[in-house]
Amino acid sequence: MMHTHVLILQFTEAKYHGLVNQGATCYLNSVLQVLFMTEDFREAVKRSSKQNVGIGLLGALTDLFDNLQKHTANTHKIITQLGISRVYEQRDAAECIEKILTMTSPEASQIFHGLLANQITCSKGHKETDRDAPFWHLPLSLVDFYNQDYSVVNGIEEFFRPTCLNGEHQMYCDRCGHKVDATITDVIKHHPDVLILLLKRFEFNYSYMSYFKTSCFVEVPYSLQIQGNEVYELYAVVDHFGGLRGGHYSATIKTQDEDRWYKFDDTQVTPVRLIAFSSV
């Protein structure tokens, strides 16, 4: 007797969808998936698009987000609005997301918008705040970590570490009336709702007159406390593989409704299980 195996399969519609790579636009796809999966940003874009009759980049983003909820989508309208003429030329994801945010509405972009300032404290304890600087991301340099692991927690501590000004670098204090030793510290005057950290892996080598990538292991915590006791929870990582002029981008994102992680790699969207998160 011949035994047969009957497989009964139930069709399930994919909940998340990918983006078509238009040449070398994986950097754009990765950024757009992060923005799409950021629910507050997605809803703010839709509201702003209705108020502005769906024109420009706002309209293109709204159409893209609507399509992504139904099927694999393309980015033709987005590419046109961003003025990307060479789709086979890979660009930087951090520059891409900054450009998108500057071109959207204030309501949508403010979610990622922060404000830094320099706080100068003299040796007598007098404080002065200077040089307000808006930011879309905090840059963390990895160039000194060629042969050792890098910790994002330590990187944040280093970013906000006070710089001592003494000797010939003393600062003039108005309240003291003369030059004194002082410290200068970056302080966050406004914390963004969503904080972007930029891991700077590329360093220019003047001997070779070229950029080199630091491929060290990076320890990324799921929860990170920033200056002022603000706590941020990790929900998205954009990874770059390869060198400065080539390689590939993908995004790993945690869904807000399911609390599950998915990898978004152009048209491919696959669930992943993460026990410890790292980046190389």
Side-chain angles (χ1 to χ4, degrees), residues 6 16 23-24 51 86 112 124 136-137 161 185 204 240 270:
V6 179
Y16 305 101
Q51 296 170 4
R86 296 190 291 271
F112 296 88
K124 301 297 184 180
W136 298 112
H137 62 255
R161 193 183 306 280
T185 308
F204 190 78
H240 175 264
T270 54

Side-chain angles (χ1 to χ4, degrees), residues 1 11 18 20 26 36 53 57 62 72 76 116 132 168 170 172-173 175 178 181 191 193 200 203 205 207 210 230:
M1 173 182 283
F11 173 77
V20 176
C26 53
F36 171 75
V53 201
L57 182 62
T62 300
T72 298
H76 293 310
L116 278 173
D132 286 358
E168 61 181 14
Q170 281 187 328
Y172 182 84
C173 177
R175 297 178 64 180
H178 55 82
D181 291 347
H191 287 80
D193 294 336
K200 300 179 66 177
E203 177 187 22
N205 187 302
S207 298
S210 180
E230 294 289 333

Side-chain angles (χ1 to χ4, degrees), residues 110-233:
Q110 63 87 25
I111 296 170
F112 296 88
H113 192 268
L115 186 65
L116 278 173
N118 283 339
Q119 185 177 85
I120 303 171
T121 306
C122 82
S123 56
K124 301 297 184 180
H126 302 141
K127 294 184 178 182
E128 179 181 342
T129 303
D130 189 21
R131 291 179 56 196
D132 286 358
F135 69 90
W136 298 112
H137 62 255
L138 296 182
L140 304 180
S141 178
L142 276 64
V143 297
D144 295 327
F145 291 82
Y146 293 105
N147 299 313
Q148 54 183 312
D149 296 347
Y150 179 88
S151 165
V152 166
V153 173
N154 293 339
I156 287 292
E157 291 179 356
E158 182 63 28
F159 185 89
F160 291 105
R161 193 183 306 280
T163 300
C164 296
L165 305 173
N166 48 41
E168 61 181 14
H169 301 294
Q170 281 187 328
M171 297 286 293
Y172 182 84
C173 177
D174 290 333
R175 297 178 64 180
C176 294
H178 55 82
K179 285 189 173 183
V180 293
D181 291 347
T183 60
I184 183 169
T185 308
D186 283 325
V187 295
I188 298 182
K189 293 183 67 174
H190 171 69
H191 287 80
D193 294 336
V194 178
L195 175 67
I196 300 176
L197 300 179
L198 173 60
L199 304 182
K200 300 179 66 177
R201 288 185 176 274
F202 289 96
E203 177 187 22
F204 190 78
N205 187 302
Y206 286 94
S207 298
Y208 294 93
M209 297 303 292
S210 180
Y211 282 93
F212 286 84
K213 183 178 181 180
T214 302
S215 298
C216 64
F217 178 90
V218 178
E219 181 183 352
V220 185
Y222 282 108
S223 179
L224 183 66
Q225 182 171 310
I226 304 292
Q227 188 184 64
N229 295 323
E230 294 289 333
V231 178
Y232 289 90
E233 299 293 331

Side-chain angles (χ1 to χ4, degrees), residues 28 31-32 35 41 57 61 78 82 94-105 109:
L28 175 62
V31 164
L32 289 172
L35 294 177
F41 179 82
L57 182 62
L61 283 172
I78 302 292
L82 293 177
E95 293 178 359
C96 180
I97 194 170
E98 183 172 333
K99 185 172 184 178
I100 291 173
L101 292 176
T102 57
M103 292 177 64
T104 56
S105 69
S109 62

